[in-house]
Amino acid sequence: MRELLSVKDMNFTKDAKVFIRCDFNVPMDEYRNITDDRRIRSAIATIRYCLDEGCSVILASHLGRPKEGFEDKLSLEPVSKRLSRLLQREVKFVKDVVGEQASEAVDTLKAGEILLLDNLRFEKGETKNDALFAKKLASYGTYYVNDAFGVCHRAHASVEAITKFYDDEHKAAGFLLQKEIAFAQNLIKRPARPFVAVVGGSKVSGKLQALKNLLPKIDKLIIGGGMAFTFLKALGYDIGNSLLEENLIDDALKILNKGKELGVKIYLPVDAIAAPTCSQDSVMKYVTAQEIPNGWMGLDIGPATVVLFKEAIDDAQTIWWNGPMGVFEIDKFARGSFRISHAIAESPATTVVGGGDTADVVERAGDTDEITFISTGGGASLELIEGKELPGVKVLLKKEED
Ligand code: AMP
């Protein structure tokens, strides 16, 4: 892939205004407290850099999926407060995106000041990649910086259409975006070996393409979570009521065979924590993968699988992890994911975690500081691993030199 245009190479004119597309799509509780501000903290390097260059910054982001215009619970106001606390300076906020209030706030913004617009998706044009909407956003800043890795796999107005209004001297990728791309690329191109991929989560379908793309590049593949049962079924096991994607049994078998052909060691669970229902007060028992009772489902990997997976991870030099090992949201079925998180965290390997759920597991397990890199974008990080070109990244690549 060609190199990205970098914010570091921008020659800002005096008192310039910079429009920064951030990813402030953070989780909040019912009181609208931000429960995880990692995405806000990750944007700070780029914001600080632009401010230190003497610019004023206009920040924009989406939050959740508003249905029709403004929704109080999806306003970015709590983000402006948290950002202000993190930066220890004022962050102006307008409950507006492209209306008069926003325009006025931008016009009166002085050098060194920060303005946050409200949720971009309150405007229909954002997800439609609408050129007129993008043009209005582009009128706010002489420079455009994209630091929103989490949405780069979407051709949305503030990510894709907007870049058409800037030449290569006036648009660039922020530091977070550059870091995300660099980590994913190094992982695929130059992994230290053994390179182990650990995948889990609910569905094979969501990760099928990534698995196909990864297989020729890795040394070991560890499969846990709900998706493992489609593989176990493909091997002829009785999996009770466990999660199954019947239409993917063939694909699962192909992956297992391809692994053999390529000499990739593939590990599947050998036991599970099974329960008749997926709830905290359900009865549960430890069973081998071959003895899941009729009507029961496997909801976490069992202790023998933890030992097996840990042993397989033991000599890894690079580990990529995407997808929990069980229904970690329910305490009873969280243990397997936590123990694998600890094992990955303790490994001396370069460890890269992708996916919101997996980042959440690592956080809850208290392992965040021990992981080399935790991607801020679930879907986007998966698409990079699948080898796809992200629409938001493609438009920020340097032109090919003759
Ligand atoms: P994904 O979005 O495909 O990465 O899936 C994440 C979800 O998979 C989490 O919400 C987990 O609760 C769920 N999950 C993990 N293991 C299982 C399992 N054995 N059965 C059902 N769901 C699972």
Side-chain angles (χ1 to χ4, degrees), residues 6-298:
S6 167
V7 62
K8 190 93 193 157
D9 298 329
M10 278 178 152
N11 291 314
F12 293 110
T13 47
K14 196 171 173 305
D15 301 341
K17 289 193 167 98
V18 188
F19 181 93
I20 310 180
R21 176 40 158 120
C22 302
D23 178 5
F24 292 149
N25 187 26
V26 288
M28 290 185 200
D29 65 15
E30 68 265 45
Y31 312 108
R32 304 191 67 228
N33 290 308
I34 296 167
T35 50
D36 178 2
D37 63 6
R38 210 162 34 92
R39 284 183 164 162
I40 305 178
R41 282 184 280 116
S42 306
I44 285 179
T46 299
I47 298 172
R48 280 228 167 94
Y49 179 79
C50 295
L51 292 173
D52 288 350
E53 288 286 301
C55 305
S56 55
V57 296
I58 296 112
L59 311 175
S61 173
H62 71 287
L63 176 65
R65 294 187 175 169
K67 285 194 190 76
E68 187 84 60
F70 182 82
E71 276 177 55
D72 204 32
K73 69 176 195 309
L74 291 176
S75 167
L76 283 170
E77 195 165 13
V79 171
S80 71
K81 292 182 185 154
R82 179 66 59 95
L83 181 63
S84 170
R85 202 144 60 75
L86 292 168
L87 285 169
Q88 295 189 311
R89 51 203 290 180
E90 187 194 359
V91 174
K92 295 180 190 265
F93 174 74
V94 276
K95 273 195 173 159
D96 187 17
V97 183
V98 283
E100 249 171 57
Q101 236 190 317
S103 297
E104 202 183 307
V106 172
D107 289 344
T108 53
L109 199 67
K110 294 191 207 67
E113 288 187 332
I114 308 163
L115 169 70
L116 173 65
L117 303 176
D118 214 341
N119 192 342
L120 288 163
R121 291 191 189 165
F122 288 159
E123 298 290 333
K124 275 205 228 51
E126 169 64 359
T127 50
K128 295 204 164 111
N129 205 20
D130 181 72
L132 270 179
F133 175 66
K135 189 174 180 188
K136 180 73 191 170
L137 292 179
S139 73
Y140 291 162
T142 319
Y143 296 86
Y144 168 81
V145 175
N146 182 355
D147 218 13
F149 173 69
V151 280
C152 279
H153 59 313
R154 310 251 180 247
H156 287 174
S158 63
V159 176
E160 211 265 348
I162 192 170
T163 58
K164 311 222 161 73
F165 300 96
Y166 295 91
D167 62 22
D168 282 7
E169 276 69 52
H170 293 83
K171 64 180 170 192
F175 298 119
L176 173 65
L177 180 52
Q178 292 173 48
K179 200 164 155 187
E180 290 271 9
I181 302 286
F183 261 97
Q185 274 183 342
N186 284 341
L187 198 71
I188 297 282
K189 279 200 202 129
R190 292 180 283 276
R193 294 186 179 281
F195 177 10
V196 183
V198 182
V199 295
S202 57
K203 291 198 173 134
V204 183
S205 46
K207 302 203 172 92
L208 189 62
Q209 202 44 48
L211 287 181
K212 284 184 179 160
N213 195 38
L214 274 177
L215 219 48
K217 298 173 175 120
I218 55 180
D219 302 293
K220 304 184 198 188
L221 173 61
I222 292 176
I223 306 176
M227 65 187 282
F229 294 101
T230 300
F231 286 86
L232 291 172
K233 183 79 182 175
L235 291 175
Y237 289 19
D238 211 345
I239 57 165
N241 273 357
S242 306
L243 213 60
L244 170 69
E245 282 169 288
E246 197 125 27
N247 56 332
L248 293 181
I249 294 180
D250 265 0
D251 284 281
L253 208 52
K254 275 187 202 144
I255 288 178
L256 295 175
N257 287 333
K258 186 86 187 160
K260 252 187 229 149
E261 207 179 284
L262 294 166
V264 176
K265 310 281 181 291
I266 301 185
Y267 294 91
L268 287 166
V270 288
D271 64 344
I273 307 227
T277 56
C278 185
S279 74
Q280 178 66 15
D281 23 70
S282 166
V283 288
M284 56 101 141
K285 58 181 171 187
Y286 293 22
V287 293
T288 73
Q290 302 184 48
E291 294 181 35
I292 298 172
N294 251 343
W296 287 48
M297 45 196 159

Side-chain angles (χ1 to χ4, degrees), residues 200-203 207 225-226 229 243 298-299 323-329 357:
S202 57
K203 291 198 173 134
K207 302 203 172 92
F229 294 101
L243 213 60
L299 294 168
M325 296 289 107
V327 183
F328 74 99
E329 297 92 335
D357 280 327

